[in-house]
Amino acid sequence: MARPAPIRTAGTLAAMALCAVATEASAQPWNLTGSGGFGRAAPAIAVDNRQVQTGDVRMNQSLSVVHATGQVSASTNAQGNVLSGAVQGDAMTLSSNQTSSGDVSASTDLAIGGEIQGAVNVVTQAGANRLEAAAYDGEMAVDARQSSSGDVSATTDASGRTSRLLGGAYVASSALGNTAALGGDHAWVEGSVEQERSGRTTAHVQADNGYVPGSALFTSQAIGNVASSAVTYGGQQLDISQTTTGAGTYASTAVSAANAWDIAGKAHAVANQATAQNQGGSLVVASQQSNAADVRSAVRVAAYDYGAATAYANGAGNVLNAINNDIYLKIDNAQVNSGGVEVVSTFTGHNGYDVMVGADAVGNQVTGGVCSTCTGELYATNDQTNSGDISAQANAQVTGTARSIVGGANAVGNAATFYVSRPSGH
């Protein structure tokens, strides 16, 4: 399928944070060729980025709240290297090399002593290397390399035994080693992303509250390497390489309440995770993922009285998701996992209604799919090897009464799903 023609304008690079040099593009017209290459001899914008972080980066925030008639919000963010930019109406080449060897940590401590009438929103984020780049009505070629060896940790504590969270709560911790996020609209995106992670990656959420009559979600996420790309009305050709070794990846959530109407605790831990989504053109993905570190994801939810309670955790060594909402998808996938993956979900309560406890663990996982409203073509080459121990546990203990208890635990060494859905009658 031919890619749509762009709006012909002079190109500009919008960059934020620690960004490379932005140059003004010439006004020479150009066009997308539909072949995956640039429509003229050289792109108007060329960015060469080099970032090295050797020191520690730490961000800590502490709040004490007794009573509040409105909402209570807190955001804590610590990052090692950050590059962010975009191109519009032109072509750009981006070469980026980010290295982080120092520790990066972020922590938020929210002590609640009384009644909060509004919602409680607390988000803590930490990352070693981060790249964000996008193209709009244009083309982008990316050559990105990220390497991080220091520990990355995000910790959130939102507790108060006598607290009354009348507006509910959202409390989250996210620790990411290397992150590369690409995207575009009416664009062609191509290139390679190479990520290496050897430090410990840890995310933790803890909360001990009294009365929570609203919806409350407590979630932790720890990922060693993350690569994602999403393009609408365009196409992509990507080569992704991810390697995780060393100390491991850990996500944990521990929450409790005396009386909770709708409480959920979740944890997500993955060594290597790659996602490519596309609409309006072809998607070609070559992915190589290797994990030799331990992965652990754990959730503990406790409530004496409860309405609905959920405890869910999942963990994986390597994950690739490639979905094209169009007719053509090609995947070349190679995954090797030798690290152990352990997932544990636990709920304890006395009297209440509905309980759901789930735990999913997998060594290697790949999913590929093309659109459900057209005759799609999918070509996949898949090679998965797992030698690590994979375990999943789901535990529920109710000492009083409950209306329903649903539990599920799944442990899989290698999982592959490829699908093409066609309308009825085809």
Side-chain angles (χ1 to χ4, degrees), residues 183-200:
D185 181 71
H186 288 81
W188 174 260
V189 176
E190 66 181 20
S192 62
V193 176
E194 181 179 343
Q195 299 173 318
E196 296 181 354
R197 175 78 181 132
S198 60
R200 180 188 299 269

Side-chain angles (χ1 to χ4, degrees), residues 1-341:
M1 177 178 290
R3 286 173 279 136
I7 300 173
R8 297 182 178 179
T9 62
T12 57
L13 175 65
M16 302 176 291
L18 301 177
C19 187
V21 177
T23 59
E24 182 178 355
S26 66
Q28 178 182 353
W30 65 285
N31 65 288
L32 292 168
T33 64
S35 62
F38 288 106
R40 66 188 201 187
I45 299 171
V47 178
D48 188 2
N49 175 61
R50 297 291 182 270
Q51 295 174 320
V52 177
Q53 175 67 34
T54 59
D56 295 341
V57 179
R58 304 184 186 279
M59 187 66 182
N60 304 303
Q61 184 172 190
S62 180
L63 301 172
S64 179
V65 180
V66 177
H67 296 287
T69 58
Q71 68 175 0
V72 174
S73 298
S75 176
T76 308
N77 189 3
Q79 300 288 331
N81 296 311
V82 179
L83 171 68
S84 178
V87 63
Q88 181 175 2
D90 225 309
M92 175 177 72
T93 61
L94 170 61
S95 176
S96 178
N97 194 325
Q98 296 174 311
T99 302
S100 177
S101 58
D103 295 343
V104 180
S105 65
S107 65
T108 307
D109 188 353
L110 174 61
I112 305 171
E115 184 174 280
I116 309 298
Q117 295 183 13
V120 174
N121 294 285
V122 184
V123 177
T124 306
Q125 298 174 309
N129 295 311
R130 185 171 188 87
L131 165 66
E132 298 177 344
Y136 303 97
D137 299 300
E139 293 188 339
M140 179 173 65
V142 178
D143 182 8
R145 290 176 174 82
Q146 297 176 319
S147 175
S148 58
S149 56
D151 293 343
V152 176
S153 64
T155 304
T156 306
D157 189 342
S159 297
R161 287 182 175 270
T162 61
S163 64
R164 295 169 58 85
L165 310 184
L166 303 186
Y170 175 75
V171 180
S173 286
S174 177
L176 308 176
N178 299 310
T179 302
L182 309 177
D185 181 71
H186 288 81
W188 174 260
V189 176
E190 66 181 20
S192 62
V193 176
E194 181 179 343
Q195 299 173 318
E196 296 181 354
R197 175 78 181 132
S198 60
R200 180 188 299 269
T201 309
T202 306
H204 178 64
V205 165
Q206 179 173 327
D208 183 5
N209 302 113
Y211 178 53
V212 189
S215 177
L217 173 60
F218 304 86
T219 179
S220 61
Q221 171 183 257
I223 308 177
N225 293 311
V226 184
S228 64
S229 183
V231 174
T232 55
Y233 304 108
Q236 303 175 65
Q237 183 169 335
L238 303 172
D239 189 338
I240 300 171
S241 175
Q242 297 176 318
T243 303
T244 298
T245 59
T249 306
Y250 307 96
S252 62
T253 301
V255 297
S256 62
N259 187 325
W261 291 14
D262 184 4
I263 187 171
K266 298 183 179 181
H268 175 73
V270 180
N272 299 309
Q273 178 175 297
T275 302
Q277 296 179 324
N278 198 77
Q279 177 179 325
S282 63
L283 174 61
V284 179
V285 180
S287 176
Q288 306 86 41
Q289 297 175 317
S290 175
N291 174 54
D294 289 338
V295 175
R296 177 176 171 81
S297 180
V299 164
R300 179 179 61 81
V301 176
Y304 187 83
D305 294 317
Y306 58 90
T310 300
Y312 177 74
N314 69 321
N318 301 303
V319 174
L320 170 64
N321 296 309
I323 308 298
N324 190 15
N325 192 27
D326 212 276
I327 63 172
Y328 186 84
L329 171 64
K330 182 177 180 181
I331 300 174
D332 187 353
N333 177 59
Q335 295 174 323
V336 177
N337 179 65
S338 58
V341 179

